[in-house]
Amino acid sequence: MSQAQDVTLTESPLGGPLPTGTGVTLGDGTAKQYRSLWSNAWRQFRMHRLAVAGLVVIVFITVACFVGTMIYPRGIDDIDFLMTSASPSSTYPFGTDALGQDILARILWGGRISLSVGFLSALVAISVGTLVGASAGFFGGATDGFLMRLTDLFICLPQLPLLLLISFLYREKVYRWADAQFGDGNIGIFLLIILVIAVLNWMSTARLVRAEFLRLKEKEFVEAARSIGARQTTLMFKHILPNVLSQIIVAATLSVGAAIITESTLSFLGLGFPSDVPTWGRMLFEAQSYFQFYPYQALFPGMVIFLTVLSINYIGDGLRDALDPRKTR
Amino acid sequence: MGRYLIRRVIISMITLVCISMVVFFILAAAPGDPLSGFGSNPNVPAELRQRLREQMGIDDPVPVRYARWATQYVQGNWGISYTTRSDARDYVLGRLPITLKVVGGAYLISLLIALPVGIISAVKQYSLFDQVATTFAFLGFSLPTFFTGILFILIFSVKLHWFPFIYDDTVKGFWPNLKQMIMPMMVLALASTGSLTRFVRASMLEVVGQDYVRTARAKGLRERSVLILHAARNALIPVVTIIAIEAPAVVGGAVVTEQIFRIPGIGSALVQGVNEGDVPVVMAISFGYAILVVIFNIIADILYATLDPRIKFS
């Protein structure tokens, strides 16, 4: 039994939310409290302390990166020649790098890119995976056969080598194209990295969604919808998909973390963003040569990556529990 | 079984051909020229350059080049490395043993930790042990290998002076060699142990509630034999397949680790090859990796079916 089935059972025939869990007193037949699936999930989620802590950390890091850069007095390119490779102090909370640039400012600025790459590539990967999985599971037959062979092929692709290769080979070309198109070549690199990570990471979602679609399309509620003449797209997206949504959300959360690590790995190997874009991985790459002498230059960006990914993984774990009605306490 | 296997192998062959095409066309469609460095050298006469181009068949259409590459690859001729000027096959295979040693050692450590910890975690669900193990698992798969590598070097090499942090392949003797491999192995093991432990735990949890485990207890068997002989034996069937499927991923993880510790293995050869546009070496490693994935997938299938009599090949 999987949760999706239970979700359908908790739907009231009138379409409204059914009372669940402790909200109902079966004895006297009066329901005291009604909760929708989502508010129930939120209530469950709050009980997972580490997941809540993760959410707080992620919100903090995101706000710091996107709003903090506007408040923080120093830019990423401000060079202080008298303070190269300085240790943390009141002026430079995280110290400075080999060029005398403020590490905190660079972490905040780089966080925008690392987080955006993580979120966007997870979004693309999950969308592609859902679309492929849903079509394969729903239509079956030759469509299923073709899409699943394609998925198998992508699973066998040598991911890391291809990632390095594509990034290395097409970086300059994309940079020049974006420079001409948008006036900023780094936008091109940004799009390239998001796309490459997404293209190599949609397969597990596709398999998950397909399996659920295969199971759910035989259910009575789908048959009922079909019998009243619902169109195929309505069946797919309005009737079946919502039942798979909770699993997709969990997969999406976890793949944000994985995408952030992948981007950092790429940048760490010197094959991600160019040196004027300080993503977290890039900062580690640059700190690598002197970290024996100036450990702060590597520790701070590394810690931020670690904290971000750890928080995301805990959020994913919390969501998995919260969205699974079987675990309702 | 035999018929299933043959079909499986044929499908895998087709997959491999497709993968090799994908990788080859990505390389071929890329801007740039393998001889650009050589070609811009003014000391090289134009005539020689032209002859070399013809010899290497650089100006042939892509499908022709692919067909030539494929036939040569099958015959064991992987081309000449552009940078080292040596046979790409000898170069790549020569770097394989170190990677296998590090990766194999790391995976073994990881298994030796994950199996008992995962089983105990499941048996004593929500206990202190389980919570500590869960926390470590989360730390493990949230720590990127490049960061653990740097942390380990800072702690164990810079502060404590326990291990050297640059791999030296001229070192002789068992102990010195083991000493310099411990850190890279620990980094890799840390990355794979977390998810493996969680998997063993989940799989064990699924089994301990089953009726036959209760039957075994009801028969009066000792708890140890119930857990090990009855529960774990069944719980480990899916684990074995995951071990096989994940093995190539660990080899992939070695790319970063080798880069940090300067280990002259496959991973660093790949990064170097990519950075220098060394097509034959990159092609050999990427495709070799694909072959590894496909082979381990077949192994996983076979293992699953042999270990679990309920699964029938179809």
Side-chain angles (χ1 to χ4, degrees):
Chain A
M1 277 258 288
S2 127
Q3 70 228 59
Q5 201 170 347
D6 299 308
V7 173
T8 63
L9 290 176
T10 55
E11 271 168 14
S12 122
L14 296 173
L18 257 192
T20 43
T22 51
V24 192
T25 323
L26 285 172
D28 54 15
T30 48
K32 285 180 185 153
Q33 203 188 341
Y34 290 92
R35 274 197 300 268
S36 72
L37 173 71
W38 295 110
S39 72
N40 204 24
W42 170 239
R43 209 176 124 266
Q44 282 297 127
F45 184 80
R46 276 183 316 187
M47 294 211 267
H48 196 307
R49 270 177 299 158
L50 285 165
V52 176
L55 191 64
V56 171
V57 172
I58 281 295
V59 169
F60 177 76
I61 292 178
T62 313
V63 170
C65 290
F66 284 89
V67 182
T69 32
M70 296 171 198
I71 306 166
Y72 195 69
R74 268 181 300 273
I76 53 164
D77 299 327
D78 296 352
I79 292 175
D80 187 345
F81 283 117
L82 297 173
M83 292 289 279
T84 54
S85 298
S87 296
S89 61
S90 54
T91 350
Y92 297 105
F94 284 8
T96 59
D97 66 9
L99 285 173
Q101 302 172 111
D102 186 61
I103 289 181
L104 178 58
R106 291 174 80 78
I107 284 184
L108 290 178
W109 208 85
R112 287 179 166 200
I113 298 174
S114 296
L115 288 172
S116 314
V117 168
F119 280 106
L120 291 175
S121 58
L123 190 72
V124 177
I126 293 290
S127 310
V128 173
T130 305
L131 211 62
V132 170
S135 318
F138 188 78
F139 295 115
T143 319
D144 184 27
F146 170 74
L147 288 177
M148 281 304 110
R149 288 292 83 72
L150 192 73
T151 311
D152 287 346
L153 175 67
F154 268 85
I155 286 174
C156 292
L157 281 179
Q159 303 211 2
L160 193 59
L162 272 188
L163 207 62
L164 302 180
L165 204 59
I166 296 175
S167 179
F168 175 78
L169 292 173
Y170 294 90
R171 232 168 16 157
E172 270 172 52
K173 202 180 187 183
V174 171
Y175 188 92
R176 264 183 275 122
W177 167 80
D179 204 25
Q181 208 77 13
F182 312 111
D184 185 358
N186 287 331
I187 296 177
I189 306 283
F190 184 70
L191 294 176
L192 176 73
I193 288 178
I194 289 175
L195 261 176
V196 178
I197 295 179
V199 162
L200 293 173
N201 278 311
W202 55 270
M203 294 81 75
S204 55
T205 316
R207 281 192 162 174
L208 174 98
V209 173
R210 171 180 176 268
E212 283 300 299
F213 262 68
L214 276 180
R215 199 174 59 80
L216 289 167
K217 74 172 178 186
E218 308 295 336
K219 293 270 173 240
E220 289 85 351
F221 71 93
V222 177
E223 211 172 302
R226 200 191 298 268
S227 69
I228 58 168
R231 277 178 308 154
Q232 297 215 310
T233 44
T234 317
L235 281 178
M236 267 172 89
F237 295 110
K238 212 173 159 201
H239 292 272
I240 304 182
L241 190 65
N243 292 297
V244 194
L245 207 57
S246 57
Q247 278 155 303
I248 296 178
I249 291 173
V250 174
T253 314
L254 297 178
S255 68
V256 172
I260 289 177
I261 288 198
T262 311
E263 184 272 320
S264 313
T265 306
L266 209 53
S267 296
F268 178 76
L269 293 173
L271 290 163
F273 285 91
S275 54
D276 57 333
V277 185
T279 68
W280 294 337
R282 180 82 208 181
M283 293 176 75
L284 268 172
F285 170 71
E286 273 154 22
Q288 200 190 0
S289 351
Y290 341 85
F291 73 89
Q292 301 101 288
F293 314 110
Y294 312 115
Y296 296 111
Q297 295 175 12
L299 283 180
F300 284 115
M303 280 308 287
V304 180
I305 299 176
F306 169 54
L307 263 182
T308 308
V309 176
L310 184 68
S311 306
I312 291 174
N313 283 339
Y314 271 125
I315 294 174
D317 195 49
L319 283 175
R320 196 197 324 262
D321 287 355
L323 295 171
D324 187 346
R326 283 179 305 172
K327 288 195 176 167
T328 304
R329 275 170 280 184
Chain B
M1 170 107 186
R3 269 185 59 193
Y4 169 82
L5 214 65
I6 291 169
R7 227 189 63 195
R8 191 76 175 71
V9 170
I10 290 173
I11 291 177
S12 302
M13 291 295 212
I14 299 170
T15 313
L16 279 177
V17 171
C18 293
I19 292 172
S20 70
M21 281 180 179
V22 171
V23 181
F24 194 89
F25 285 103
I26 287 174
L27 275 168
D33 186 325
L35 282 184
S36 58
F38 192 58
S40 55
N41 185 344
N43 292 329
V44 179
E47 193 187 320
L48 174 66
R49 200 182 309 152
Q50 194 51 40
R51 207 168 61 224
L52 262 171
R53 291 187 79 86
E54 274 163 25
Q55 217 172 31
M56 292 170 74
I58 290 171
D59 298 320
D60 290 343
V62 178
V64 176
R65 272 151 59 194
Y66 174 75
R68 187 169 47 226
W69 172 83
T71 35
Q72 285 178 350
Y73 189 91
V74 174
Q75 289 163 353
N77 175 8
W78 297 1
I80 305 288
S81 160
Y82 294 165
T83 43
T84 61
R85 307 269 168 222
S86 57
D87 187 34
R89 184 157 157 255
D90 295 342
Y91 174 66
V92 171
L93 291 183
R95 284 188 163 223
L96 194 59
I98 283 190
T99 302
L100 286 184
K101 257 189 268 176
V102 173
V103 168
Y107 214 37
L108 202 68
I109 295 175
S110 179
L111 281 176
L112 288 177
I113 298 172
L115 289 179
V117 172
I119 291 176
I120 298 173
S121 262
V123 173
K124 298 197 156 69
Q125 202 187 0
Y126 302 131
S127 66
L128 184 66
F129 181 90
D130 184 27
Q131 279 167 6
V132 172
T134 304
T135 310
F136 268 100
F138 268 91
L139 293 182
F141 56 68
S142 303
L143 271 168
T145 41
F146 48 85
F147 186 47
T148 22
I150 286 179
L151 274 185
F152 277 26
I153 290 178
L154 277 177
I155 298 170
F156 298 113
S157 297
V158 178
K159 288 271 177 244
L160 298 171
H161 300 287
W162 284 2
F163 308 113
F165 65 85
I166 291 184
Y167 192 92
D168 179 3
D169 54 348
T170 56
V171 165
K172 292 273 180 293
F174 180 73
W175 282 114
N177 258 308
L178 187 71
K179 216 172 145 184
Q180 61 179 354
M181 284 210 298
I182 283 180
M183 278 208 296
M185 285 202 286
M186 291 311 282
V187 167
L188 276 175
L190 194 67
S192 55
T193 309
S195 49
L196 212 56
T197 311
R198 296 298 285 170
F199 197 83
V200 174
R201 179 180 178 271
S203 168
M204 189 71 184
L205 272 180
E206 214 139 273
V207 168
V208 286
Q210 300 271 325
D211 288 341
Y212 65 81
V213 175
R214 194 182 307 143
T215 311
R217 282 212 182 93
K219 281 197 304 189
L221 292 180
R222 275 179 308 145
E223 188 63 17
R224 257 182 73 172
S225 57
V226 172
L227 290 178
I228 294 171
L229 294 178
H230 292 254
R233 259 175 70 162
N234 286 298
L236 292 185
I237 293 171
V239 175
V240 169
T241 54
I242 280 288
I243 292 171
I245 289 175
E246 287 291 306
V250 185
V251 180
V255 172
V256 174
T257 321
E258 287 183 4
Q259 197 66 12
I260 297 174
F261 294 98
R262 320 264 158 88
I263 301 173
I266 293 283
S268 52
L270 176 73
V271 177
Q272 217 176 317
V274 165
N275 274 317
E276 282 158 1
D278 196 340
V279 181
V281 170
V282 172
M283 195 66 206
I285 296 177
S286 315
F287 192 54
Y289 186 74
I291 294 176
L292 208 64
V293 174
V294 169
I295 289 178
F296 273 97
N297 272 319
I298 297 180
I299 292 179
D301 268 13
I302 297 173
L303 276 177
Y304 196 55
T306 19
L307 291 176
D308 191 343
R310 287 170 301 184
I311 305 286
K312 288 272 177 293
F313 285 120
S314 56

